[in-house]
Every structure is written in structure tokens, then in C-alpha cells.
Amino acid sequence: MTVAPTAPSSGTPTERQWWKTSVVYQIYPRSFCDSNGDGIGDLPGILSKLDYLVELGVDVVWLSPFYQSPNDDNGYDISDYRKIMTEFGTMADFDELLAAMHARGLKLVMDLVVNHCSDEHQWFVEACRSKDNPYREYFMWQPPAANGGPPTNWEAAFSGSAWELHEPTGEYYLHSFSKKQPDLNWPNPKVRTEVFELMRFWLDKGVDGFRMDVINMISKTPGWPQAKVVKPGPWQPCWQFIVNGPRLLEYLGEMRREVLSHYDILTVGETPGVNPSHGIAMTDAVDGPLNMIFQFEHMDVDGRGSKWNVVPFDLVKFKQIMTRWQDGLAGRGWNSLYLANHDQPRPVSRFGNDGEYRERSAKMLATMLHFQQGTPYVYQGEELGMTNVRFASIDAYRDLETLNMYAEAVGTFGKDPEDVMSAVYVKSRDNARTPVQWTAEAHGGFTTGTPWIAANPNYRTINAAAATADPDSVFHYYRRLIALRRLRLHPHPR
Ligand code: GLC
Ligand code: CA
């Protein structure tokens, strides 16, 4: 495979396009490794595992958010973009981690969550003080509808209305996700300036790029239209009004001009609801604002209407989607390649077989993915063939998306709890968030304390210690796949 001629930025193509020849490893810090026994993974825990990542052979590590956060959504609700989450460590721990990664030739990519922040962020606290507070316009406020209810019938991604009434000022604010995640008002140029400044803060520290959380949601359809009624209950899916809005490319173009083009970095946008034409517009080698995006079409093949409405996985459809993205972006944009992340079930359980053929199907899925054109992403534990989990009770689950869905389905709509649990077993994000299984010791060696979420009991057999000792393991298969890519693609071996 030849690397396409140079992209927008200056410098030699091979230096500036390292993200095309890299393999990225995603860490969800809360579940990766706990260094101090409080049951929560942390930055020193990551530091202690860098040699494992070097052995695996990945080039880049993307860390899910580690900013200060009240953890309504495990760090995807940020209350201070320039502070480290208390549970994860200190800024000194971060600086040490970054230096240690660079010393090993690993790059560090951060999560940038700027479609929304936390309701505990100072901006929102100020915005709530009064309607004429200078921060009011940092968020999206609307007066109540004629009946006093929310301005539209939009449903939040985490159930319920996408609008929350702020009683003291009498207006509703928009939250595409939980009510503790108010959407930022990107049409306000001050918001954009704030975002660009916080990006520079981290880039100037030496971080090597951003994975941009739901970045195609920053421009909404103007006019606050009502969503079509397609299901029971007052709140209706409204994705079409939230993604790929009319000013998306303008905002991303501004971000590229103001920030991205000044640094040699990797950028990947998380973009639900896109097709290959959006993919080209966002990643075009000449004028696309981003290096690559995470599309979702192949993640939707086993859900109908809603992810919780589980339907059998359609292999033909899956192959068609993968092919459409390969062909669609070839020679123009660039694909990211993923089967797993912190929001998705474990691929070996979802697309393979997590019983008798666990190892073989994990290797098969890896081969399928890593032999395509694009930048492969490995999500923590995928390289061990970690599987979905089945906790007996909903009480063992931690993810607010899962808990809200369960409460609504069982409480409001009176569904059979067993049916709801069977969807949870297949689709809950907690399948991906059980602790990384390091050893056969208690809690998979993730913590010496009580983990914030229980380990998958199969840690006794599926764990990194066993896998690294077995030359035929899923781990070593990933290692060899990654080495093969490096041999073909890396002009300068590390
Ligand atoms: C993205 C994240 C997910 C988060 C949501 C809101 O989809 O990957 O974990 O809950 O955005 O920030
Ligand atoms: Ca800890």
C-alpha cells in the first residue's frame, strides 16, 4: 500500500502523516489499572502498564477523558478543562505519564468533549445566575412552549426530554445527553474561542492529538423543529436535528485554521449518523478539517430503531458497509478502523463467538479489521479477547445510559425486566467497562480494593498474564498483526 501524497499541512508527508501508519490503543482510565487501591483506575496505573503497550506494539494511546468531572457520565461531563480528575491523579502525574510515553516512542491523544460540558462547570454555574449573565449565551436556552413544557419533543440520548427547566430563570436548556451535560452554544464566537484556547493549553503541553467526542453535533438545525412521532411516550428521536448541522464544516474549518494546522497531531472525530460523503467532507486530504472520523454504520447492524431493540447481526449488511467506506474514502479521505470502544459491546461476543471459538473468532475479527486501509484502533482488553459480562441484577450496572433506559422501560413502560436485562447483556456500555483483566488474582488484578464496577468473572482464565505467556494467544496474534503493519508501512522503524 502506498501512502497518498501529502495532505494540507507543511512538512514532509511521511513526518506529517504518521497517523496513517499508526495503530491506536484506547484506554478508558477508570477501568484500566488502579494504582492505589481505591477501586478506580488512574494515571499512575496507566504509567505502570506502558511496557505492556510497547510489547503489544501500538504507536498511539488515546485516553478517554481524565479532566475534572463529577462523573455523571464517567468524565464525559467536564467541570474544568484544565484540571485532572481528582480520582485519576494530579497534573504532575499527567506530565510524568506524557513524558514516559514520549520516552518510549508512544504518542498521547486526548479526548476533547466540547459539544457539552458539565452543569458543574463554572460557565454553567454563571449562566444560571441570571438571564443577562455574560455566560448565559454559552448554552442553548429557550422559553417554555405554550403549554409550559419543553420547547420541543426531543429525546435525550440518555432517555427523557432533551430539555431541562431551570426554574429560577424560567427557561429550558438543551442537553443532548444527560441533564448534567448542557450543550454548548457553538454559534456564540466566545464559546469557540474558549474551546480553541483549551485545545492549545493541552497541545502546548505536548499532547499529540484529539479524539473529538460527538463533534458533528456542534451545529444544530436552526428553528427548533418538532420531531416526528415514531414511538410511544412524549419524547421522540431527534438525531436528524442534532447531527451534521449547517455550520458544522464552518466550525471545524475555523478550528483547523485557528488550532489544528499549527500542530503536528492526530485528529479523529466521533461522528454518529454519517455516510461516506460526510466522511469525505470531513477528512478530505486537501481541505478536510480532520484526519479521520469514527463512523457508526457498522455499529448499527444489530439494532433496529434503537440500539436496545436487538436484531440478529446481518453479516452481509456489515460487509457492504465496510466495503462502502473503504471504496468511498479511498484516495480522498482516510478511514478509522474499529470494532470496539468504551460505548460498544465486546466484539468477540457481538460478532464472533465468546465460548468455544473465542480465541479463533477474536483473531478472525482482528484480521478482518487490520487488513483494511485506514488507522486501526484497539480498545483495552480487545487484544485479550475480553467478552461481554452478565451481571445478575441491574444494581451491578453503573452506566447511566443503561440505568436510565432500564428505569424508563420497566418503570414507565412496564416492560418485563427479564426482557430488558437480555438487551442489557447484549448492548450495555458496561460490557466494555468492566476492569481490564491483568491476572488470575482477585478482580483480575485490576485493584487491591473494591472495583467501582465488578470484574467479569472469567478473569480467572482470560487475563493478560496468561495471554502474554502463551505464544498462540489473541494478544500475540494482535502483536504480530501490528508488527506486520509496521513492517509494511513504517518508513522508519522505531
Ligand atoms: C460519546 C462518548 C460517550 C459519551 C457521549 C456523551 O458518544 O463516547 O461515552 O457518553 O459521547 O459525551
Ligand atoms: Ca485509583
Side-chain angles (χ1 to χ4, degrees):
M1 180 165 73
T2 48
V3 172
T6 188
S9 17
S10 59
T12 66
T14 47
E15 273 170 21
R16 302 288 302 207
Q17 295 193 322
W18 51 266
W19 44 270
K20 283 192 173 177
T21 54
S22 293
V23 175
V24 184
Y25 186 91
Q26 183 195 351
I27 289 182
Y28 192 68
R30 202 173 188 79
S31 304
F32 190 67
C33 178
D34 172 25
S35 72
N36 62 354
D38 67 355
I40 298 174
D42 46 48
L43 300 183
I46 298 172
L47 181 68
S48 74
K49 297 295 184 187
L50 291 185
D51 291 335
Y52 170 82
L53 301 179
V54 170
E55 186 185 355
L56 183 59
V58 297
D59 309 276
V60 179
V61 178
W62 148 32
L63 297 177
S64 277
F66 49 82
Y67 310 85
Q68 190 63 266
S69 164
N71 284 306
D72 186 50
D73 187 17
N74 289 352
Y76 283 91
D77 49 320
I78 296 165
S79 54
D80 191 329
Y81 287 98
R82 289 176 177 76
K83 289 217 170 87
I84 305 291
M85 191 191 298
T86 319
E87 299 89 320
F88 286 179
T90 62
M91 192 58 92
D93 292 327
F94 172 77
D95 292 338
E96 190 184 352
L97 179 62
L98 181 62
M101 285 184 46
H102 285 168
R104 287 167 174 80
L106 294 167
K107 290 183 153 63
L108 189 157
V109 165
M110 292 181 67
D111 220 301
L112 180 75
V113 189
V114 289
N115 172 68
H116 45 269
C117 60
S118 163
D119 66 338
E120 297 182 35
H121 192 292
Q122 202 52 39
W123 299 334
F124 193 75
V125 173
E126 287 293 326
C128 286
R129 287 194 206 284
S130 71
K131 280 191 190 172
D132 52 18
N133 186 282
Y135 288 95
R136 186 77 173 178
E137 295 307 313
Y138 274 42
F139 299 91
M140 306 189 118
W141 299 94
Q142 283 296 304
N147 67 1
T152 70
N153 60 352
W154 294 8
E155 179 176 51
F158 297 154
S159 307
S161 171
W163 297 96
E164 181 73 9
L165 180 62
H166 180 249
E167 281 184 21
T169 54
E171 287 186 326
Y172 284 85
Y173 64 88
L174 180 73
H175 60 89
S176 300
F177 294 89
S178 94
K179 63 178 184 218
K180 286 185 64 64
Q181 294 168 298
D183 280 46
L184 285 162
N185 184 26
W186 275 71
N188 179 354
K190 286 195 189 133
V191 166
R192 306 204 293 273
T193 305
E194 296 269 14
V195 169
F196 300 158
E197 277 171 13
L198 79 89
M199 292 174 76
R200 288 187 203 105
F201 170 84
W202 291 100
L203 291 168
D204 290 341
K205 272 183 164 289
V207 310
D208 303 290
F210 290 111
R211 174 269 187 185
M212 304 181 183
D213 194 65
V214 289
I215 199 65
N216 65 329
M217 292 175 48
I218 58 180
S219 166
K220 273 85 178 171
T221 301
W224 308 116
Q226 289 292 117
K228 212 169 94 193
V229 177
V230 295
K231 59 174 213 168
W235 316 123
Q236 302 299 321
C238 58
W239 282 101
Q240 71 273 30
F241 304 128
I242 292 199
V243 300
N244 309 325
R247 297 185 68 183
L248 174 62
L249 288 176
E250 174 198 332
Y251 297 153
L252 291 179
E254 187 179 334
M255 181 191 281
R256 172 178 159 185
R257 217 169 39 248
E258 295 290 320
V259 186
L260 307 176
S261 61
H262 302 281
Y263 299 87
D264 178 19
I265 52 175
L266 177 158
T267 56
V268 52
E270 188 209 19
T271 55
V274 295
N275 61 37
S277 340
H278 299 108
I280 291 170
M282 279 185 273
T283 72
D284 186 277
V286 178
D287 57 9
L290 304 177
N291 296 155
M292 56 195 137
I293 57 169
F294 292 127
Q295 59 90 10
F296 278 69
E297 291 190 301
H298 65 312
M299 292 286 113
D300 295 336
V301 289
D302 55 1
R304 190 174 301 131
S306 140
K307 75 180 230 181
W308 302 109
N309 185 19
V310 181
V311 296
F313 156 60
D314 181 339
L315 177 62
V316 172
K317 205 163 141 199
F318 184 93
K319 290 199 280 192
Q320 285 165 345
I321 291 167
M322 299 306 276
T323 304
R324 194 160 66 237
W325 281 87
Q326 286 289 299
D327 292 348
L329 268 55
R332 303 201 48 192
W334 191 252
N335 273 297
S336 73
L337 307 171
Y338 78 100
L339 290 176
N341 62 42
H342 64 292
D343 294 329
Q344 300 295 337
R346 292 286 179 180
V348 70
S349 302
R350 186 182 192 181
F351 305 123
N353 172 300
D354 62 9
E356 190 184 350
Y357 299 112
R358 184 185 68 85
E359 294 197 276
R360 270 201 249 175
S361 58
K363 293 173 187 174
M364 176 275 291
L365 290 167
T367 311
M368 181 277 292
L369 200 70
H370 286 239
F371 271 74
Q372 303 203 31
Q373 187 174 49
T375 299
Y377 288 72
V378 180
Y379 176 66
Q380 64 183 35
E382 179 187 335
E383 78 284 9
L384 303 172
M386 276 178 63
T387 70
N388 282 355
V389 72
R390 293 171 76 94
F391 293 130
S393 150
I394 190 69
D395 301 335
Y397 288 82
R398 299 287 175 264
D399 170 31
L400 87 167
E401 182 193 42
T402 305
L403 299 176
N404 289 357
M405 182 283 292
Y406 183 92
E408 186 183 76
V410 175
T412 312
F413 294 113
K415 294 212 171 123
D416 178 353
E418 262 182 45
D419 290 346
V420 180
M421 283 313 281
S422 58
V424 167
Y425 291 151
V426 180
K427 285 294 184 67
S428 171
R429 306 196 295 182
D430 281 339
N431 284 306
R433 299 178 181 184
T434 58
V436 170
Q437 296 164 202
W438 295 107
T439 68
E441 284 153 50
H443 315 298
F446 160 75
T447 181
T448 54
T450 306
W452 69 276
I453 185 170
N456 190 321
N458 64 19
Y459 70 78
R460 293 179 186 89
T461 48
I462 304 172
N463 60 65
T468 49
D470 170 8
D472 207 25
S473 65
V474 176
F475 175 88
H476 284 292
Y477 191 85
Y478 268 84
R479 189 182 57 70
R480 288 195 292 271
L481 262 183
I482 294 167
L484 183 61
R485 258 190 177 248
R486 167 158 309 107
L487 208 65
R488 284 295 283 119
L489 299 176
H490 267 270
H492 312 294
R494 187 160 70 207

